[in-house]
Structures are given as structure tokens and as C-alpha cells.
Amino acid sequence: MNRRNAYLITAALALFSAGPAFAAPAVDHNREFQACLTLAEKRPAEALESAQTWLNRGGGDHARLCQALALFHKGDFTTAGARLEELAPVLGKDDPKAGASILGRAGWAWLRAGDNARAERAYSRALALQPGDVDLLIDRAIARAETERFWDAVSDLDAALAKDPRRAEAYLYRAAAHKALANDRQAMADIDRALDLRPGDPDALLLRANIKAQAGNLPGAREDWSQIVRNAPNSGPAKTAQANLDRSARVPAPVAKGDAKGAAVPAKP
């Protein structure tokens, strides 16, 4: 379970716990809600059916929330995002934290749907309810970076790290934004901080290797790529690292100084 999925489930559970108790004694709505949320992540199609049955038995907006989360996990991100945005002001009417949580999940749904502008708007609405929320700032930074608004992304990540300077992923996202802005020195500094917090992190090593390669330090890049393949062989970064290693192995060795004829420029990874 990744961070966002875990946060989505726990936030939804907190929302229910903070809300008023259901009056109908015939249905244990608290148990229905928790069971539906768990099922939504594992078997979303079944969760949709379960939520509809629960809705018919008086589950109300909490059943609709479970339906929206099931749609998210089923891959229908557009419908999920729209439904979560509709539910946020209803379920968050008396609980700004709950409303912000639902809007944050709507933002992630819009990101997955490829609608980055709507994702940013959802995150901004969430941050209006919960100013300074570190998770929301990081996620909005991702949305902004997707639309190549890298300085705005850096601004959000600066704010997130000011609140929690031990968020390794925030350093890594900021490093990627700085790389896109050609600020390689700042990017490398952020990668170093990320690796201090998560030694050997394959994503951080991959980003560092690519910066080294683009700067012409192919031996240094190969060292990082090799470390990824060695220590995280089944990861996504390892596949990319191995491809880069294979590609770099085909690059001709540098010509000795004084023999510039036929010198080759290393290919970008």
C-alpha cells in the first residue's frame, strides 16, 4: 500500500469516527464503513456492490464515500474525483480536516485521471481548509510540476519542508523540480538530504545518476545505476538503471588527450 492509499483509508476512518453516530440500530454502520473501505482497496468491484446494498439500508453519504473510493481503486479516476469533490462539503461541513482529506483524495484522483489543473484546484481548496498540511502541500507540488510550474512546486515543497524537515520524498520531489529548472547544484543538495534520510533509496540514486550522466560524469552515473540494480533488483528504478547501464556500455571510450579526431560525445541516458 503506498502512502496515499494508506492516508486515504485512515483519513476516511477518522472522518467516520469524528462524525455523529447513526441512529438506526438494525445496521452497524461503523462496521459497514470500515469493512467497505477495506474491500474498496482489495476488491473494488465487490465494494461497489456492497456500498450500494449498504446505501439502500441507510448508509447515506458514508456509503457514497465508499463508492467513490471503490471507483478510485477500480481505476475510474474521473468519476471518483467528481464524487469526492461533491462529498467534501457535505461530510466536511462541521469538520474542516475531514473535508480537506476528501478534497485531497479528489486531487489525487484528478492527477491519476490526467487532469492536473483540476487536481491543483482540489488541493488548493483542501489547503484553504487545512493551511500548512504537509501531505497536501507535497501533493499540490506534484500537480504543479506536472504542468511544468516548477517554481510553484518548489514553493510548496519549501513550505512542506519548513513544517517537517524529515520528509525524504519532499526533498526528492524538490530535487526533480530543480533539475527541470537546470539548478543541478540545488538538485544534488536535495538528493543528498533525501539519501541521508533514506540511505540507498533507488529513486534518489536514479535521479542523481541521471544528473551525473547529463553533466558528463558517466563513471559516477554507472556507479549509482549499478548500486540500484544490485540493491533493489526488482524495482522500477532498477529496470531503468539497467537500461541505462546497457546503453552506456555501448558508448565508445573517450579518445586519449591529444587525439581529438573521432572523439565521441557520451549519449544521454
Side-chain angles (χ1 to χ4, degrees):
M1 181 189 298
N2 63 34
R3 177 178 69 81
R4 292 177 182 80
N5 286 349
Y7 181 72
L8 183 151
I9 294 297
T10 55
L13 286 169
L15 165 67
F16 184 87
S17 299
F22 285 94
V27 180
D28 186 339
H29 291 286
N30 185 31
R31 180 179 297 176
E32 288 281 351
F33 190 56
Q34 295 188 45
C36 192
L37 289 176
T38 301
L39 192 62
E41 184 174 2
K42 295 180 178 179
R43 299 191 296 278
E46 291 181 33
L48 281 171
E49 295 180 8
S50 176
Q52 184 59 54
T53 300
W54 179 32
L55 184 62
N56 295 339
R57 300 176 68 197
D61 290 320
H62 289 87
R64 294 185 180 91
L65 175 59
C66 187
Q67 286 179 326
L69 300 182
L71 287 165
F72 177 94
H73 289 292
K74 194 171 181 286
D76 189 350
F77 301 118
T78 299
T79 305
R83 292 195 184 184
L84 287 165
E85 284 191 312
E86 290 172 1
L87 287 165
V90 178
L91 291 172
K93 181 179 180 181
D94 299 315
D95 188 347
K97 186 175 182 179
S101 173
I102 296 172
L103 283 168
R105 297 314 96 198
W108 186 238
W110 289 121
L111 268 182
R112 297 292 299 273
D115 193 335
N116 301 313
R118 193 159 180 178
E120 182 182 351
R121 289 197 297 272
Y123 286 130
S124 294
R125 288 173 59 197
L127 281 162
L129 296 173
Q130 288 291 107
D133 183 282
V134 173
D135 287 298
L136 292 171
L137 284 166
I138 292 173
D139 286 345
R140 188 173 70 175
I142 295 171
R144 288 176 161 181
E146 288 290 334
T147 56
E148 299 186 357
R149 292 171 55 198
F150 298 113
W151 281 119
D152 288 333
V154 168
S155 178
D156 275 346
L157 293 165
D158 286 346
L161 288 165
K163 296 274 289 186
D164 186 354
R166 297 193 60 80
R167 295 296 289 267
E169 74 272 29
Y171 286 111
L172 190 54
Y173 292 138
R174 192 170 69 177
H178 277 307
K179 178 180 180 295
L181 292 164
N183 298 328
D184 287 355
R185 181 177 296 179
Q186 293 93 325
M188 292 294 272
D190 278 342
I191 292 170
D192 287 343
R193 292 297 302 275
L195 287 168
D196 286 341
L197 294 166
R198 291 183 185 171
D201 181 85
D203 289 306
L205 288 172
L206 183 61
L207 183 57
R208 186 173 74 178
N210 291 345
I211 293 174
K212 287 179 179 179
Q214 290 178 1
N217 181 9
L218 197 55
R222 287 181 60 83
E223 183 179 339
D224 283 341
W225 290 327
S226 297
Q227 184 178 341
I228 296 168
V229 173
R230 186 168 58 250
N231 296 338
N234 297 318
S235 67
K239 294 179 181 178
T240 302
Q242 186 61 62
N244 288 340
L245 283 168
D246 294 342
R247 188 179 299 113
S248 67
R250 297 193 293 269
V251 175
V255 176
K257 191 173 181 180
D259 184 9
K261 184 178 289 187
V265 178
K268 290 185 179 181

